[in-house]
Amino acid sequence: MEISYQSTRGGEAGVTASQAILKGLAADGGLFMPSFIPKLDKSMKEFSLMTYQETAYEVMKLFLTDYTEAELKSCIAKAYDSKFDTEEIAPLSKANGAYYLELYHGSTIAFKDMALSILPHLMTTSAKKNKVNNKIVILAATSGDTGKAAMAGFADVEGTEIIVFYPKDGVSPVQELQMVTQKGDNTHVAAIHGNFDDAQTGVKKIFGDKAFAELLEEKGYQLSSANSINIGRLVPQIVYYVYAYAKLLSSEEIKDGEEINVTVPTGNFGNILAAYFAKLMGTPIKNLICASNENKVLFDFFQTGTYDRNRDFILTTSPSMDILISSNLERLIYLSTGCDGSANADLMNSLGENGNYSVNGEMKEKMNGFIGGFASEAENKAVIKKLFEDTGYLIDTHTGVASAVYNKYKEETKDDTKTIIASTASPYKFSRSVLEAMEGNQETEDEFQIIDHLSNVSGVLVPQAVEEIRTAVVRHTTVCDADQMKEAVLNFLD
Ligand SMILES: *Cc1c(COP(=O)(O)O)cnc(C)c1O
């Protein structure tokens, strides 16, 4: 059945999947949502016999209905190949009774690879289908991982330019090195003075600037987004939740139909929203445990029904979750209004103007399956250390937040439902923080000494993505203020 896409703010509807992916954001500032959520048309038994690529096709075909079978399969084949260091693509590891879904086996060793390996192919296929002749300029704001994964995906892809903005002091050294050494003539990076929200707000402003769009149009460019506001990010992320459930079934860890819980370390609310979509499609998922770090705006929201970004922005050791405006929450809000674009737009305007909004009882009721939790820096450190000491299993600081929140949830509720924890980055992306969790403060400044030390202590091999940046040349040195992002875009394109 054909699905069309509509804006969460009511201003745009009847958009095809390929057009929605190409546009990134709706013209009224809203996010694209499917006109309905399709049901899986294969059983979990059938999924349990499928490869990752086969699962991806069966899930994505239900949303991307204007792509032909050949187009979609070609995109999937190009995305999920030997760039991943395991044929399983997203393997599960059991430790201390939970199942860690490792989403960091792609080329930039964070979960953003799961969607950003395929987004460039979906986008260039869409440009062909829709006879677009402009060059596509991808703008991305990043808290560290999206930027690298998007550049790796789009580097030297014909007909595209990619521009990434990251907060100068808000990413890990490995994240920064990965970005500033990125190869490809069409890749551009700027550090901004500000935090991730400043970068994201700046990018959204550029998207909403009609005069700027016309100026770019004259030069033969049009903008699109690689952030998780793009529905082309969300759909590929649903795949691994279906896949993981099916893998638990085939390895007889669960019975067919048995409900599981999913815990996700959350920032922009994209990953956990994908899990919710998997649930709505028919994957037996009970609770979605939304794990925040000390920037616990989502915890407070699920607790009280009030979203309030008026608070201090805290820099933590899980920088990819240092976010106060979780963009994808808008999609959940929209669903919980019964898909009422104008009601949602009112709330989002309030967020823009006052920094807060409250949902009513009926809406809150509809979000019942979500449970908020948060972990302090100390709790995060402690869980990384303990998990390693108990089991030899090493996790990064984002997965640590999820793990700590899950442990607290289990202790408080005694809910022993089998649980998947989304493991979103390789520990080597945050080596210093992980090592300090295990051994206390480190004297040395040198990032690569830390990396080698971590490898010695843990016995976990240093991934290729980290080896590559040991000697790579820095190619990108632009730094600008958050209010100069438009000028930076023009400079990069000229
Ligand atoms: C982006 C990111 C997150 C947060 O994911 P959202 O989809 O933004 O909620 C968590 N952990 C890591 C390592 C990330 O890169």
Side-chain angles (χ1 to χ4, degrees):
M1 218 187 328
E2 195 75 16
I3 289 192
S4 69
Y5 287 78
Q6 61 218 31
S7 167
T8 49
R9 302 196 189 169
E12 217 178 335
V15 178
T16 64
S18 67
Q19 286 165 351
I21 287 174
L22 203 55
K23 288 178 183 224
L25 199 63
D28 59 1
L31 279 57
F32 283 114
M33 278 289 278
S35 46
F36 63 95
I37 311 268
K39 292 282 175 206
L40 295 169
D41 62 5
K42 296 282 183 306
S43 70
M44 279 300 160
K45 276 236 166 67
E46 289 171 287
F47 277 118
S48 72
L49 302 171
M50 288 184 204
T51 62
Y52 192 87
Q53 292 81 354
E54 288 163 346
T55 310
Y57 175 69
E58 292 300 329
V59 172
M60 291 175 62
K61 73 170 192 196
L62 300 172
F63 286 97
L64 308 185
T65 48
D66 73 321
Y67 286 76
T68 66
E69 179 173 349
E71 284 170 343
L72 202 48
K73 286 189 170 166
S74 157
C75 290
I76 289 167
K78 286 182 201 154
Y80 304 110
D81 60 6
S82 59
K83 289 193 288 299
F84 286 77
D85 67 9
T86 161
E87 275 182 19
E88 287 180 273
I89 306 294
L92 281 165
S93 285
K94 191 173 181 180
N96 261 0
Y99 302 90
Y100 287 83
L101 176 58
E102 297 178 357
L103 303 173
Y104 56 79
H105 288 273
S107 59
T108 76
I109 57 175
F111 100 91
K112 305 299 194 290
D113 288 325
M114 301 306 297
L116 284 164
S117 305
I118 194 164
L119 185 68
H121 303 296
L122 294 175
M123 224 177 245
T124 49
T125 305
S126 168
K128 260 185 230 144
K129 293 171 79 68
N130 291 290
K131 307 205 167 38
V132 169
N133 295 318
N134 283 336
K135 212 169 203 193
I136 313 289
V137 180
I138 310 295
L139 283 193
T142 184
S143 54
D145 290 329
T146 291
K148 177 63 186 184
M151 285 193 289
F154 280 97
D156 291 326
V157 171
E158 219 180 298
T160 69
E161 297 283 332
I162 167 130
I163 302 174
V164 166
F165 294 98
Y166 72 91
K168 180 74 190 113
D169 300 315
V171 301
S172 82
V174 168
Q175 286 179 315
E176 183 164 39
L177 258 181
Q178 278 188 307
M179 286 191 278
V180 297
T181 57
Q182 175 66 45
K183 293 184 188 138
D185 289 339
N186 65 337
T187 64
H188 314 278
V189 187
I192 65 153
H193 299 297
N195 60 39
F196 171 71
D197 286 325
D198 298 323
Q200 175 157 264
T201 302
V203 164
K204 279 192 178 170
K205 259 194 203 141
I206 296 176
F207 275 114
D209 188 333
K210 295 213 171 65
F212 191 63
E214 280 164 23
L215 178 69
L216 290 182
E217 175 80 34
E218 279 168 29
K219 296 172 185 275
Y221 294 113
Q222 72 186 58
L223 297 175
S224 189
S225 167
N227 279 107
S228 55
I229 49 179
N230 193 318
I231 193 75
R233 281 274 303 273
L234 193 65
V235 170
Q237 291 177 184
I238 303 167
V239 174
Y240 46 77
Y241 290 109
V242 177
Y243 178 76
Y245 186 92
K247 281 287 160 294
L248 288 178
L249 185 59
S250 65
S251 59
E252 297 180 356
E253 297 287 340
I254 55 172
K255 293 191 203 68
D256 199 5
E258 180 176 341
E259 285 192 315
I260 60 167
N261 288 339
V262 175
T263 306
V264 184
T266 296
N268 230 347
F269 209 74
N271 199 1
I272 195 166
L273 190 71
Y276 184 53
F277 272 49
K279 173 179 168 157
L280 295 177
M281 294 176 82
T283 311
I285 293 172
K286 190 168 76 175
N287 290 329
L288 294 157
I289 301 164
C290 175
S292 297
N293 64 23
E294 290 178 359
N295 294 291
K296 61 182 185 54
V297 62
L298 286 165
F299 168 79
D300 293 340
F301 171 68
F302 286 118
Q303 213 64 15
T304 63
T306 295
Y307 192 94
D308 189 358
R309 61 150 306 189
N310 298 311
R311 61 181 75 204
D312 289 337
F313 186 103
I314 303 167
L315 291 174
T316 72
T317 54
S318 45
S320 301
M321 297 158 64
D322 290 346
I323 294 175
L324 294 179
I325 306 173
S326 295
S327 290
N328 271 290
L329 186 66
E330 178 168 348
R331 289 191 162 109
L332 179 64
I333 299 292
Y334 174 74
L335 283 176
S336 71
T337 61
C339 302
D340 180 342
S342 79
N344 175 64
D346 287 346
L347 297 177
M348 294 307 133
N349 287 338
S350 169
L351 180 64
E353 280 160 26
N354 315 317
N356 58 28
Y357 61 82
S358 297
V359 300
N360 62 33
E362 199 183 328
M363 290 171 66
K364 196 155 182 288
E365 181 76 29
K366 284 195 182 149
M367 299 178 211
N368 249 345
F370 286 89
I371 292 166
F374 75 99
S376 68
E377 289 289 272
E379 287 170 328
N380 187 5
K381 274 190 183 154
V383 84
I384 291 171
K385 183 178 165 79
K386 182 159 186 350
L387 187 65
F388 183 75
E389 284 174 357
D390 289 355
T391 67
Y393 189 61
L394 190 66
I395 55 175
D396 91 295
T397 44
H398 300 74
T399 311
V401 169
S403 192
V405 165
Y406 170 63
N407 288 346
K408 286 201 280 186
Y409 166 82
K410 204 167 147 181
E411 222 174 87
E412 279 162 24
T413 60
K414 310 289 174 218
D415 180 2
D416 60 359
T417 304
K418 304 221 168 82
T419 295
I420 286 175
I421 295 175
S423 179
T424 50
S426 157
Y428 284 100
K429 231 171 164 167
F430 307 94
S431 303
R432 179 180 296 271
S433 304
V434 171
L435 187 61
E436 290 186 346
M438 304 209 305
E439 298 199 328
N441 280 356
Q442 298 295 308
E443 296 285 312
T444 172
E445 292 285 304
D446 185 332
E447 192 64 20
F448 288 99
Q449 277 178 12
I450 297 270
I451 286 166
D452 292 334
H453 187 157
L454 182 61
S455 179
N456 283 336
V457 174
S458 69
V460 178
L461 225 59
V462 179
Q464 185 56 28
V466 172
E467 292 297 352
E468 273 168 16
I469 56 169
R470 265 184 213 269
T471 53
V473 184
V474 171
R475 300 183 64 243
H476 307 274
T477 53
T478 304
V479 182
C480 70
D481 286 337
D483 59 7
Q484 295 174 335
M485 288 167 58
K486 225 156 68 173
E487 289 74 15
V489 169
L490 287 177
N491 282 339
F492 283 138
L493 296 178
D494 278 343

